[in-house]
Amino acid sequence: MYKTKNDLPEEVRAKAVELLNARLADAIDLQSQTKHAHWNVKGPDFISLHELFDKINDDVEEYVDLIAERAVQLGGIAEGTARVAAKRSTLPEYGAKGGNGRDHVDALSTALAAFGKAARQAVDALDELDDADSTDILTEVSRGIDKWLWFVEAHLQADR
Ligand SMILES: [Fe+2]
């Protein structure tokens, strides 16, 4: 940990950095899965899904940056290489192999839901640490992810 004039106790900062780095790994994994979907989707809904997945990528890229920079603000190191992310990510392996749009919708909604669940758990843990600002960041992230989960999952929800 780096020295900082930030008044949060070092113990709090260290625990928050650990929680942030865990979610950073998931977010980097989610971003690469989202781009993978953007590149490989085919079929009758190609253009709408291709564009939707890229919009999701734009937001996830912002979440990666928000989470990483919060870790650094607290005196930590943002552990954001692809190798670390691949080792630490808690997301399942991306589930679509070919180009089928429905398969990509299913795979990406699974990834978004898994990320959202872990982000919410981080909100609770960061709140417990009394780190209101990290809690706010993860709340913003999970709120955005829930919106994108809705956009993706709606493709599968015509029937109840
Ligand atoms: Fe592109």
Side-chain angles (χ1 to χ4, degrees):
M1 295 289 290
Y2 286 94
K3 283 203 178 82
T4 166
K5 289 172 183 157
N6 187 306
D7 70 305
L8 286 173
E10 181 168 354
E11 198 189 299
V12 167
R13 290 189 288 108
K15 282 184 186 155
V17 166
E18 203 180 310
L19 288 162
L20 289 160
N21 271 319
R23 300 293 65 83
L24 177 62
D26 285 359
I28 290 167
D29 191 8
L30 179 63
Q31 198 194 347
S32 72
Q33 292 195 19
T34 305
K35 269 294 189 187
H36 182 83
H38 165 74
W39 294 322
N40 290 304
V41 70
K42 293 186 188 294
D45 299 320
F46 164 74
I47 195 63
S48 64
L49 290 175
H50 177 70
E51 288 177 359
L52 171 62
F53 296 159
D54 216 21
K55 282 188 187 133
I56 297 173
N57 172 72
D58 288 345
D59 275 8
V60 176
E61 193 176 348
E62 267 180 45
Y63 303 153
V64 165
D65 212 41
L66 274 172
I67 295 168
E69 290 182 355
R70 180 65 186 164
V72 176
Q73 288 157 25
L74 293 175
I77 290 172
E79 291 163 340
T81 64
R83 279 160 207 257
V84 169
K87 212 184 288 173
R88 283 198 191 148
S89 173
T90 62
L91 301 191
E93 189 61 60
Y94 189 70
K97 294 257 185 284
N100 186 291
R102 207 182 162 83
D103 291 350
H104 283 286
V105 161
D106 186 54
L108 195 58
S109 62
T110 297
L112 287 163
F115 183 87
K117 181 182 176 183
R120 255 185 286 284
Q121 287 166 347
V123 166
D124 289 343
L126 290 160
D127 192 36
E128 202 116 304
L129 286 176
D130 287 330
D131 178 355
D133 304 291
S134 297
T135 305
D136 182 59
I137 287 169
L138 265 295
T139 303
E140 178 186 336
V141 167
S142 71
R143 189 172 59 233
I145 290 292
D146 275 5
K147 187 192 87 173
W148 288 125
L149 176 59
W150 164 44
F151 270 57
V152 174
E153 211 169 32
H155 294 83
L156 304 171
Q157 288 174 327
D159 306 308
R160 284 213 266 175

